[in-house]
């Protein structure tokens, strides 16, 4: 079996802030296989973006191990780490903020090639044009500046840049959150096509469970720096074991007014507690409908519920999977 | 249907720009009954927010030019109303909340002061009654410990709590109509559900009408009684919520629904809507959606399709609806 594209072990990310030390990621472990998409879902302040930044080495983890293609970055020399950097790339939420406004598409895309030893100018240009074709950008756009691209095209440019050095893993941090629905579909489809042709693995970070449920092979749910549940996509959807996962699913707006109206829904109360002072015991107990005294005292460990399905809840039991959801409405079916 | 509280006829909003006059909202007509929720849905630039701002005359004119047959609210036409009369109406009989509560709140005043300001302006309450009413309002929008929180500054509140404060200010004068422009777009999903539930329960309690502006078809399906879909400044479809989601008629509405990931439905690829929304400076002569539409024929490109009333309720602006109602484009 080949090494995982990404293996994270007991990762801790902390920040020194004016209000004291903040533990954004608190001892988190997960792996992503080559060519796999792991969706990471959570609300503001859960630490999902900090995890993504640690993976691409934009922040230095406090402790823990981070291995790419089986090589542990945390034990390597700075030089060896630099050599591995091309293997992990990132696509950002706001492509405008992530692209230099004074650089043309050609420069944006050839810089990573230049920095990694592609000396020949003609070869670089050819590689840039191939990248642009791969992400659906017409070659005549090569001399345009970022502001001359539409929002969807800019995100395509961001994806092309991430692909330039043939990475093993791309961290996608809310890549479609700023886009309209019709552009969202274009970018999500592009990410899926690119994965099929290149075999790249994705760590797909999003607050939107419906987007993650569409794109991911497995889904991980984070709450205040901790992983609360991780499972294969279908399994998570049909048999969620953690009360927080269920709360997220219940809160998700559905396009089904005959069965899902906000007035009739049970909605979880409360706000996210401050990550500076997370609750003792289970971090979710202050909002949890199932919480008992034990939950406030004892933090539940992430434990197996079923094959590949783990949850961190004292009451998580191997749930009976719900029957597959009812057949979708006719207009939503894509013809075979 | 009871007589409409809000009756908008041929509302048109143009902007004067260096590159000419752009029509952001084109002869839009709709009604909102007392106690009803109308959702206006569409993508960026479709004119949904401009419509909301134009109703309350919050657009700077010039460059904006607002015209129409009438915008009747509770029997009074707002279009010819003086700025002074509009000011008396805003925050009183018609209130509005926005996407970003932090920029709508004054950072250097306590939330209590800001609620009291609204109460002073729009109600007869004075003295100690103002503060106790402000506390009541915070309680009404389910802010815990309102007695204590009333003296806090906005930065002490989370995003969801700030939106609750905005709602408290908006309903201070018991408006007949609340316009909510993307009120939950900046919020986390569990907090979004709380705020939508709060809006709907307040609406029922006070018999208030709600115009909800949103880009999110899910949010619309969860809350609206009727839905108006906009594209490039025009109404393309307007239907009761159950009808729209059971059988969307306009190709744009259908495309929007299919482009969205549907929880529980596995598809390798989403149905893309090819191309991009046309620029307002360069709208096609016929149906604005025709260049992206799988059903379009030559006639679609000649002139904008008329809005046809449907048997039952609602209307749709598409000449192809009856020819290809549910089949996919080849």
């Amino acid at each position: 079996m080949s090494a995982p594209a990404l293996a994270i072990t007991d990762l801790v990310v902390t920040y020194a802030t004016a209000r004291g030390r903040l533990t954004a990621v608190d001892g988190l472990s997960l792996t992503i296989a080559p060519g796999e998409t792991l969706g990471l879902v959570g609300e503001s302040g859960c630490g999902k973006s900090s995890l993504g930044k640690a993976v691409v080495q934009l922040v230095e983890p406090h402790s823990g191990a981070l291995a790419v293609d089986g090589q542990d970055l945390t034990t390597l020399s700075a030089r060896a780490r630099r050599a591995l950097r091309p293997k992990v790339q990132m696509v950002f939420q706001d492509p405008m903020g992530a692209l230099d406004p004074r650089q043309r598409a050609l420069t944006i895309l050839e810089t990573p090639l230049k920095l990694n030893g592609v000396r020949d100018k003609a070869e670089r240009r050819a590689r840039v044009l191939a990248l642009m074709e791969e992400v659906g950008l017409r070659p005549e756009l090569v001399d345009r500046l970022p502001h001359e691209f539409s929002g969807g095209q800019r995100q395509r440019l961001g994806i092309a840049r991430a692909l330039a050095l043939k990475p093993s893993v791309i961290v996608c941090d809310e890549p479609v959150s700023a886009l309209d629905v019709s552009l969202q579909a274009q970018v999500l489809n592009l990410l899926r096509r690119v994965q099929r042709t290149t075999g790249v693995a994705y760590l797909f970070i999003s607050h939107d469970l419906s987007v993650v449920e569409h794109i991911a092979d497995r889904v991980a749910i984070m709450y205040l720096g901790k992983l609360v549940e991780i499972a294969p996509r279908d399994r998570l959807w049909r048999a969620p074991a953690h009360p927080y996962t269920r709360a997220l699913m219940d809160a998700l707006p559905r396009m089904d007014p005959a069965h899902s109206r906000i007035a009739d829904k049970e909605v979880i109360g409360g706000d996210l507690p401050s990550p500076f002072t997370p609750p003792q015991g289970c971090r979710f107990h202050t909002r949890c409908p199932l919480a008992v005294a034990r939950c406030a005292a004892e933090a539940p460990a992430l434990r197996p519920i079923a094959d590949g399905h783990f949850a961190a809840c004292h009451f998580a039991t191997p749930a009976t999977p719900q029957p597959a959801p009812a057949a979708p409405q006719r207009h939503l079916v894509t013809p075979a | 249907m009871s007589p409409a509280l809000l009756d908008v006829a041929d509302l048109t909003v143009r902007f004067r720009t260096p590159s000419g006059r752009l029509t952001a909202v084109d002869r839009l007509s709709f009604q909102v009954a007392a106690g009803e929720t109308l959702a206006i849905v569409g993508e960026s630039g479709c004119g949904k927010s401009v419509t909301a701002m134009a109703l309350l005359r919050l657009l700077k004119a010039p460059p904006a030019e607002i015209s129409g047959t009438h915008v009747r609210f509770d029997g009074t036409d707002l279009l010819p109303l003086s700025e002074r009369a509009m000011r008396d109406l805003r925050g009183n009989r018609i209130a509005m909340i926005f996407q970003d509560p932090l920029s709508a709140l004054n950072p250097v005043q306590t939330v209590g002061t800001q609620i009291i300001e609204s109460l002073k302006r729009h109600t007869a309450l004075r003295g100690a009654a103002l503060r106790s009413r402000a506390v009541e309002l915070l309680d009404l929008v389910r802010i815990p410990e309102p007695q204590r929180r009333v003296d806090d500054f906005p930065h002490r509140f989370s995003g969801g709590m700030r939106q609750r404060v905005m709602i408290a200010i908006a309903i201070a004068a018991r408006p007949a109509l609340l316009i909510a422009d993307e009120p939950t777009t900046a919020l986390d999903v569990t907090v979004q559900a709380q705020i939508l539930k709060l809006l709907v329960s307040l609406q029922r309690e006070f018999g208030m009408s709600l115009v909800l502006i949103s880009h999110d078809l899910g949010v619309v399906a969860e809350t609206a009684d009727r839905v108006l879909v906009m594209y490039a400044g025009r109404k393309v479809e307007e239907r009761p919520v159950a009808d729209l989601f059971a059988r969307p008629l306009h190709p744009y509405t259908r495309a929007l629904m299919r482009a969205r990931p549907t929880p529980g439905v596995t598809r390798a690829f989403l149905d893309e809507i090819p191309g991009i929304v046309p620029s307002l400076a360069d709208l096609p002569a016929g149906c604005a959606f025709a260049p992206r539409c799988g059903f379009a024929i030559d006639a679609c490109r000649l002139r904008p399709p008329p809005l046809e009333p449907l048997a039952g309720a609602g209307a749709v602006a598409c000449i192809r609806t009856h020819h290809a109602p549910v089949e996919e484009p080849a």
Side-chain angles (χ1 to χ4, degrees):
Chain A
M1 206 177 93
S2 60
L6 180 72
I8 297 168
T9 315
D10 280 329
L11 192 78
V12 176
V13 178
T14 64
Y15 298 105
T17 75
R19 291 171 62 194
R21 184 154 286 276
L22 171 72
T23 304
V25 180
D26 194 3
L28 190 143
S29 304
L30 54 82
T31 59
I32 308 180
E36 187 189 30
T37 299
L38 179 76
L40 184 61
V41 182
E43 297 180 283
S44 331
C46 74
K48 58 190 190 300
S49 287
S50 292
L51 180 74
K53 284 182 187 153
V55 170
V56 292
Q57 304 175 57
L58 283 174
V59 297
E60 186 78 16
H62 173 267
S63 61
L66 200 64
V68 177
D69 290 342
Q71 290 182 277
D72 187 350
L73 297 175
T74 43
T75 58
L76 290 174
S77 67
R79 171 188 284 265
R81 234 160 54 175
R82 256 200 308 280
L84 269 178
R85 217 167 240 179
K87 292 273 136 214
V88 190
Q89 295 294 320
M90 188 152 184
V91 171
F92 298 87
Q93 173 173 356
D94 170 20
M96 199 58 194
L99 299 170
D100 185 331
R102 293 158 305 179
Q103 284 187 351
R104 298 184 187 279
L106 177 66
T107 314
I108 289 170
L109 295 179
E110 76 169 354
T111 301
L113 300 172
K114 218 184 215 169
L115 291 175
N116 285 276
V118 184
R119 297 262 157 75
D120 182 60
K121 202 174 166 185
E123 189 195 334
R124 282 201 307 264
R125 190 178 168 92
R127 293 259 300 259
V128 164
L129 291 175
L131 278 169
M132 289 182 64
E133 189 182 347
E134 193 167 357
V135 300
L137 289 173
R138 294 191 314 276
E140 61 264 31
L141 299 173
V142 74
D143 292 317
R144 297 265 179 95
L145 292 165
H147 78 264
E148 297 174 288
F149 288 82
S150 69
Q153 286 177 324
R154 278 199 285 271
Q155 198 53 292
R156 287 172 195 267
L157 195 56
I159 293 167
R161 178 175 63 182
L163 288 171
L165 297 172
K166 302 193 167 38
S168 301
V169 185
I170 299 180
V171 176
C172 304
D173 190 2
E174 303 270 11
V176 298
S177 301
L179 301 176
D180 272 320
V181 177
S182 65
L183 296 177
Q184 252 186 37
Q186 292 178 12
V187 170
L188 290 171
N189 285 351
L190 172 64
L191 286 171
R192 169 109 52 189
R193 268 196 295 274
V194 160
Q195 187 172 52
R196 287 187 176 179
T197 51
T198 64
V200 69
Y202 294 136
L203 175 61
F204 191 101
I205 299 171
S206 177
H207 71 285
D208 187 339
L209 194 55
S210 57
V211 167
V212 166
E213 206 261 341
H214 167 74
I215 195 92
D217 301 307
R218 282 187 304 136
V219 180
I221 312 277
M222 265 183 100
Y223 190 77
L224 289 175
K226 296 266 196 195
L227 214 55
V228 299
E229 185 161 8
I230 183 165
R233 183 189 72 120
D234 283 341
R235 169 84 201 173
L236 186 88
W237 194 256
R238 286 186 290 120
H242 198 284
Y244 179 59
T245 310
R246 289 200 287 266
L248 279 180
M249 286 181 179
D250 291 345
L252 203 63
R254 314 286 175 111
M255 292 194 296
D256 185 7
H259 300 101
S260 185
R261 293 283 281 177
I262 191 75
D264 310 321
K265 270 188 170 182
E266 288 292 329
V267 168
I268 186 179
D271 253 335
L272 284 152
S274 161
F276 283 95
T277 51
Q280 294 291 306
C282 172
R283 294 184 173 186
F284 187 57
H285 84 264
T286 53
R287 301 173 74 193
C288 182
L290 304 179
V292 296
R294 181 186 176 200
C295 303
E298 187 190 333
L302 197 66
R303 56 195 179 84
I305 303 291
D307 198 19
H309 186 175
F310 298 80
C313 172
H314 295 309
F315 298 106
T317 45
T320 326
Q322 298 296 305
Q329 289 150 294
R330 188 149 60 122
H331 64 269
L332 290 172
V333 179
T334 311
Chain B
M1 196 164 88
S2 49
L5 177 75
L6 180 70
D7 178 6
V8 177
D10 298 319
L11 178 71
T12 298
V13 184
R14 294 196 182 86
F15 289 95
R16 269 191 240 161
T17 74
S19 49
R21 250 198 214 159
L22 305 182
T23 305
V25 178
D26 190 4
R27 287 161 294 161
L28 184 69
S29 300
F30 62 89
Q31 299 188 332
V32 186
E36 184 191 36
T37 299
L38 174 76
I40 303 182
V41 67
E43 297 181 282
S44 315
C46 74
K48 58 190 190 299
S49 287
V50 172
T51 300
M53 303 285 270
L55 292 177
L56 281 178
R57 276 215 252 133
L58 292 171
L59 297 168
K60 194 165 178 282
E65 299 171 352
I66 304 172
S67 59
T69 308
H70 60 248
V71 173
R72 222 171 264 145
F73 172 72
D74 205 6
T76 308
D77 190 358
L78 305 185
L79 284 177
L81 226 53
S82 71
E83 181 46 41
R84 193 197 165 88
M86 268 316 284
R87 258 204 312 268
D88 288 339
L89 207 65
R90 277 197 293 258
N92 188 0
R93 304 290 323 283
I94 310 179
M96 187 161 176
I97 56 172
F98 301 90
Q99 175 174 342
D100 178 11
L102 192 57
S103 62
L105 288 166
N106 184 338
V108 298
Q109 283 185 346
T110 66
V111 303
T113 307
Q114 297 180 61
I115 298 173
I116 286 170
E117 198 178 314
S118 176
L119 288 169
K120 266 189 192 157
R121 177 158 176 81
H122 299 297
T123 70
L125 295 176
R126 292 297 176 264
L130 286 168
R131 188 185 155 89
S132 55
R133 182 72 188 133
V135 172
E136 272 172 42
L137 283 165
L138 289 180
D139 189 44
L140 194 65
V141 297
R142 328 269 199 271
I143 288 183
E145 303 178 73
Q147 286 281 3
R148 190 173 65 77
R149 298 309 304 261
V150 72
D151 295 319
D152 274 340
F153 289 91
H155 75 267
R156 303 276 299 166
F157 290 78
S158 67
M161 288 295 159
R162 279 179 208 137
Q163 195 57 288
R164 287 172 195 270
V165 171
M166 283 311 302
I167 295 170
I169 294 173
I171 62 169
R174 295 278 163 95
L177 172 66
L178 178 65
I179 300 175
D181 187 1
E182 303 272 9
T184 59
T185 303
L187 302 176
D188 280 316
V189 62
T190 58
V191 180
Q192 162 167 282
Q194 293 169 8
I195 296 290
L196 292 175
K197 205 172 167 71
L198 173 67
L199 279 174
V200 168
S201 74
L202 291 173
Q203 175 194 26
R204 289 194 178 168
E205 202 172 327
F206 300 137
M208 189 166 65
S209 299
L210 183 62
V211 173
L212 178 78
I213 314 275
S214 180
H215 71 284
D216 186 334
L217 281 167
V219 165
V220 166
E222 293 274 356
T223 50
D225 298 314
R226 282 188 308 120
V227 185
L228 191 165
V229 184
M230 285 184 80
Y231 187 77
R234 292 190 198 125
K235 169 160 74 178
V236 297
E237 184 163 4
E238 181 180 358
R239 312 273 301 283
V241 69
D243 297 2
L244 185 85
F245 286 91
R247 196 162 171 270
L249 289 176
H250 198 283
Y252 176 62
T253 315
R254 300 219 293 271
L256 263 189
M257 289 184 187
R258 283 199 307 267
R260 195 177 184 270
T262 313
V265 178
T266 302
R267 291 182 288 174
F269 292 98
L270 298 165
D271 293 281
E272 297 180 15
I273 306 179
I276 55 168
V277 174
S279 155
L280 291 179
D282 191 22
L283 283 180
C287 170
F289 188 60
R292 308 174 74 187
C293 180
F295 301 110
I297 54 172
D298 288 346
C300 299
R301 300 180 187 97
L302 287 176
R303 62 187 71 82
L307 202 63
E308 301 275 8
L310 297 163
V316 62
C318 174
I319 57 170
R320 299 282 289 153
T321 299
H322 306 290
H323 300 274
V326 219
E327 289 81 1
E328 300 302 315

